Amino acid sequence: MGNVPSSQREAKGKAKAKEEVAMSKVFSLPEDIQVDILVRLPVNSILICKWVCKPWRNLIRTRKFIQYHLNFSIQKNNRRLIVRSLNGQSNSKPNIYSIDYGLLSSSASNSLELDDVWQEAFQMDYPFQCNAVKRVWILGSCNGLICLGISSNGRSEFDEDSRMYVWNPTTREYKKIPILLNDLIYDLNDNFYNVRFGFGYDSNTDDYKVVRIDDYASSRHYQADVYSLASGVWKTIPTIPYSFRNTNRGVLFNGALHWLGGSTNKKTAPDVIISFDVSKEILIHVPFPKETMQRPMCKELGVLADCLCLYLGNELRTEVWVMLDYGVRETWSKRFTFTRDSFPGYVYPNPIWSLGNGEIVVVTNSGLILYDRQNGIVRDLNVYSQADDMCDFSTKISHHMSYVQTLVSLGTGCYVGKTNRIQNGHIWSY
């Protein structure tokens, strides 16, 4: 201190005094107002605020604040897109990227160069990855928590080297989910064995659940298993009056997971949307639009503009239907039709997100595109990052999902890993 001029010491003292006065004014505000201020900050700033002082740390860690922040983020539609990429090399470790939907619109690209926009996409360095990871499945997303499957041998099935995690990429918390014995003992060469997953939230018990449905196609026997993060236990739902058409992950909407399938009850339609209520743990069915029942087209489920939607497509056209009133068959409405002329050179376009300006983010066989319905303009969305040049989504775009940044905790038994955020060619640890 003796080597520091008195003028500098006085300046530092005054700055510190001003800071203490400002902080005292903030702390004198009612707690509800402090919450309302903090929750509007970017999520990384909120995490930094946890280290400013103990009162803020305790406040941000409360269940009330976490829920308020989650509701605020959902209401403001602050969604991001999570995508898996292999960077075009078969021997590369799979990478996961997070992209802000708000950067995809034409209005954003008009104010920035396209490359600059995509440099804002960042690689998500999932904390449990290692050099042995060869394959990653994005199995589900709910309230900012991501369910991932990981394999170290590159096979497309679960085996003794596979692992499953529920991960909050915002807080870096993760919890390992035990793999069921069924997934470890089945014959890897048996083409008749299928397994499908889903991930959702039980609002009745404030619990998150992993749902798994498997079958041997030759016997047509289906079994559902549900894992509770709160109890750490798998349990079986033995009777399933439905058959399943595909092995895709369940589409989460309105507190339920949805798959394409059929009913074994002769009194109902053979082709239905199977719905698993995460809270009640029961299976029911949602009917298809009457107009589509006899259509020989490929079907796929999704969520668009806060509605359950159904894609029907072939090489010539894709129809997008939305259910305006969930569960009511008569409210199915054909929202729009994509033809080969609309998307020259693209096959099976599936919209995954509707932007505020009316543009639609679409997944095709060639990757991500942006479609302006009003002007009929189609624009490729090639994902760039200075850290690793270009992210090749051309063949792996099927592994994508929307999520929201959240502070939701995984509770006891979870781990916290170090995450490096790669952005604009720099690595930021937080």
Side-chain angles (χ1 to χ4, degrees):
M1 291 292 293
N3 297 328
V4 180
S6 59
S7 58
Q8 292 186 16
R9 291 199 301 269
E10 291 176 1
K12 289 183 178 180
K14 290 180 180 180
K16 185 176 181 180
K18 289 182 178 180
E19 181 179 342
E20 291 176 350
V21 170
M23 292 301 296
S24 65
K25 290 181 178 180
V26 172
F27 294 139
S28 66
L29 294 173
E31 183 176 288
D32 290 345
I33 295 180
Q34 293 186 50
V35 169
D36 196 53
I37 293 173
L38 290 171
V39 81
R40 297 172 187 276
L41 297 175
V43 67
N44 288 342
S45 297
I46 296 177
L47 293 175
I48 292 174
C49 286
K50 288 175 61 177
W51 302 102
V52 171
C53 59
K54 287 185 178 180
W56 273 2
R57 182 182 183 185
N58 294 334
L59 175 62
I60 293 171
R61 295 172 68 178
T62 62
R63 179 177 176 182
K64 178 182 177 181
F65 182 89
I66 292 172
Q67 187 63 44
Y68 189 69
H69 176 265
L70 175 62
N71 294 340
F72 181 84
S73 298
I74 294 174
Q75 180 183 4
K76 293 298 182 181
N77 218 9
N78 297 329
R79 300 276 180 168
R80 303 185 69 92
L81 175 65
I82 179 173
V83 186
R84 185 197 71 178
S85 171
L86 289 177
N87 293 332
Q89 300 180 17
S90 59
N91 60 348
S92 297
K93 180 175 60 179
N95 293 325
I96 297 177
Y97 291 85
S98 175
I99 304 161
D100 187 345
Y101 275 116
L103 297 177
L104 303 185
S105 66
S106 294
S107 57
S109 61
N110 287 338
S111 60
L112 294 169
E113 292 294 330
L114 184 60
D115 286 358
D116 291 336
V117 171
W118 281 114
Q119 287 166 13
E120 294 298 321
F122 66 86
Q123 181 180 334
M124 303 172 76
D125 191 14
Y126 41 106
F128 37 83
Q129 71 175 333
C130 61
N131 294 330
V133 174
K134 298 299 182 182
R135 182 179 290 267
V136 173
W137 301 273
I138 303 176
L139 303 177
S141 169
C142 180
N143 292 345
L145 303 182
I146 311 295
C147 184
L148 293 178
I150 291 180
S151 171
S152 59
N153 57 30
R155 293 176 177 175
S156 59
E157 308 91 351
F158 274 90
D159 60 17
E160 64 276 5
D161 295 322
S162 301
R163 288 160 286 160
M164 189 186 303
Y165 295 92
V166 174
W167 169 46
N168 185 335
T170 303
T171 64
R172 311 186 308 277
E173 288 185 353
Y174 65 95
K175 180 177 288 189
K176 187 175 181 180
I177 308 301
I179 301 294
L180 275 177
L181 181 62
N182 297 25
D183 291 324
L184 303 182
I185 63 175
Y186 76 87
D187 186 355
L188 293 175
N189 297 317
D190 189 345
N191 295 325
F192 296 101
Y193 181 86
N194 296 304
V195 61
R196 50 198 65 77
F197 289 91
F199 180 63
Y201 175 66
D202 183 346
S203 59
N204 292 338
T205 61
D206 189 27
D207 189 13
Y208 289 87
K209 297 178 179 179
V210 178
V211 180
R212 171 193 175 284
I213 298 174
D214 72 341
D215 72 275
Y216 278 94
S218 55
S219 64
R220 312 307 297 172
H221 172 74
Y222 294 86
Q223 177 177 305
D225 298 282
V226 181
Y227 178 84
S228 163
L229 260 68
S231 66
V233 175
W234 285 97
K235 68 177 179 180
T236 299
I237 301 175
T239 304
I240 300 181
Y242 301 100
S243 59
F244 293 77
R245 298 285 187 262
N246 54 27
T247 59
N248 294 340
R249 60 176 181 263
V251 174
L252 181 64
F253 181 76
N254 201 43
L257 294 161
H258 301 81
W259 292 271
L260 295 174
S263 172
T264 57
N265 186 345
K266 296 181 179 180
K267 295 182 180 180
T268 60
D271 294 319
V272 296
I273 298 171
I274 304 169
S275 172
F276 179 84
D277 189 304
V278 177
S279 295
K280 298 179 181 178
E281 297 186 355
I282 58 174
L283 286 152
I284 60 175
H285 67 268
V286 178
F288 282 118
K290 292 181 180 180
E291 298 87 342
T292 67
M293 291 302 296
Q294 304 301 323
R295 307 279 290 279
M297 303 176 77
C298 296
K299 298 181 177 66
E300 188 174 341
L301 293 173
V303 176
L304 187 67
D306 294 326
C307 290
L308 183 68
C309 68
L310 175 67
Y311 312 130
L312 292 91
N314 54 32
E315 293 184 357
L316 299 177
R317 59 190 282 123
T318 296
E319 297 178 2
V320 180
W321 292 71
V322 296
M323 180 175 270
L324 300 177
D325 189 359
Y326 180 74
V328 181
R329 185 179 196 178
E330 290 72 23
T331 63
W332 278 110
S333 173
K334 184 163 66 172
R335 182 57 58 89
F336 40 80
T337 300
F338 297 145
T339 65
R340 177 179 286 183
D341 294 335
S342 304
F343 298 95
Y346 300 104
V347 181
Y348 302 119
N350 288 339
I352 60 172
W353 195 256
S354 180
L355 300 175
N357 60 0
E359 293 175 322
I360 301 172
V361 182
V362 181
V363 172
T364 72
N365 62 308
S366 300
L368 284 174
I369 62 176
L370 187 66
Y371 178 50
D372 186 338
R373 291 181 58 204
Q374 183 176 357
N375 300 317
I377 299 175
V378 176
R379 181 163 64 93
D380 283 304
L381 292 176
N382 295 319
V383 180
Y384 289 88
S385 171
Q386 288 185 356
D388 58 2
D389 298 327
M390 181 175 177
C391 313
D392 178 16
F393 292 168
S394 59
T395 59
K396 299 302 179 182
I397 196 62
S398 59
H399 280 264
H400 68 276
M401 191 163 288
S402 299
Y403 79 104
V404 62
Q405 291 182 312
T406 180
L407 304 173
V408 171
S409 175
L410 294 175
T412 59
C414 69
Y415 298 90
V416 179
K418 181 179 179 181
T419 300
N420 293 325
R421 174 173 174 172
I422 303 175
Q423 184 176 19
N424 293 334
H426 302 284
I427 297 179
W428 304 90
S429 299
Y430 59 90

